[in-house]
Amino acid sequence: MLILLAAFAAMVGFAVVLSKLTLGPSAASESLVHSNLRPGDSIRAYLAQPALRDALKQLGGNIVLGMPFGALLPALVPPTRGLLRVMAATALVMLLVELVQGALVQGRAFDIDDVILNTTGAMLGYLILGRRLGRAVHPQRRHWWHRKAKSGTSRSASPQSTRT
């Protein structure tokens, strides 16, 4: 229960940080303020900038921003356990964040590369911590085909063969 409470507090903190980072104008992306619907265009544009530090800050920041989703989502929402589910949930949430940014925040625009980088970060967060954290909080249920038969009856009893 304590782990679940800590994961919830971390997710709330993450939501606050996410909103502060994404719902305000970004000085690093002012020159790139245009919607990007083509995967890879913004990444190439950032890497082409003369200041490598700004490119690493933007690209690495988007990856790091997605990591808490991958780490915390399996603990807080058990149906999202699993790499593909975490990635799909993260992509959906980040897609919504990007749509809000593009529609409501001056100096920001929708960028599909941000969604891709955030989802990559969630994948890393899941692989590094989320899988173990999700299993610690919500142990895997055994499927019916893995359960032992009740005592007295045996499903896997094989007939005794006799040799002649």
Side-chain angles (χ1 to χ4, degrees):
M1 185 64 167
L2 187 58
I3 293 172
L4 187 60
L5 186 59
F8 179 73
M11 193 62 115
V12 169
F14 172 70
V16 169
V17 170
L18 178 67
S19 66
K20 286 188 178 197
L21 289 174
T22 60
L23 298 179
S26 169
S29 62
E30 282 181 12
S31 63
L32 302 171
V33 176
H34 61 282
S35 293
N36 172 33
L37 301 175
R38 292 177 42 190
D41 279 359
S42 293
I43 294 171
R44 280 189 293 279
Y46 282 122
L47 292 174
Q49 289 181 347
L52 182 62
R53 183 177 181 187
D54 287 340
L56 290 176
K57 193 165 142 183
Q58 280 297 113
L59 300 176
N62 276 314
I63 290 172
V64 169
L65 200 59
M67 290 179 84
F69 263 81
L72 299 173
L73 206 56
L76 294 173
V77 186
T80 62
R81 286 194 328 196
L83 183 61
L84 294 177
R85 291 177 182 172
V86 166
M87 291 175 64
T90 302
L92 179 65
V93 168
M94 294 306 176
L95 186 65
L96 292 173
V97 167
E98 286 295 318
L99 288 169
V100 169
Q101 271 185 322
L104 302 177
V105 180
Q106 188 173 4
R108 293 278 189 158
F110 177 86
D111 190 346
I112 194 65
D113 287 338
D114 287 353
V115 175
I116 292 168
L117 292 168
N118 294 149
T119 304
T120 301
M123 179 186 69
L124 292 173
Y126 177 79
L127 293 173
I128 292 169
L129 181 64
R131 184 174 181 206
R132 281 178 259 149
L133 186 61
R135 285 183 179 172
V137 175
H138 306 285
Q140 279 188 315
R141 292 189 306 161
R142 295 179 60 92
H143 297 286
W144 64 268
W145 57 85
H146 291 140
R147 293 184 185 138
K148 290 183 180 180
K150 292 182 180 181
S151 61
T153 61
S154 175
R155 290 184 184 178
S156 62
S158 59
Q160 296 284 336
S161 62
T162 57
R163 293 186 183 190
T164 54

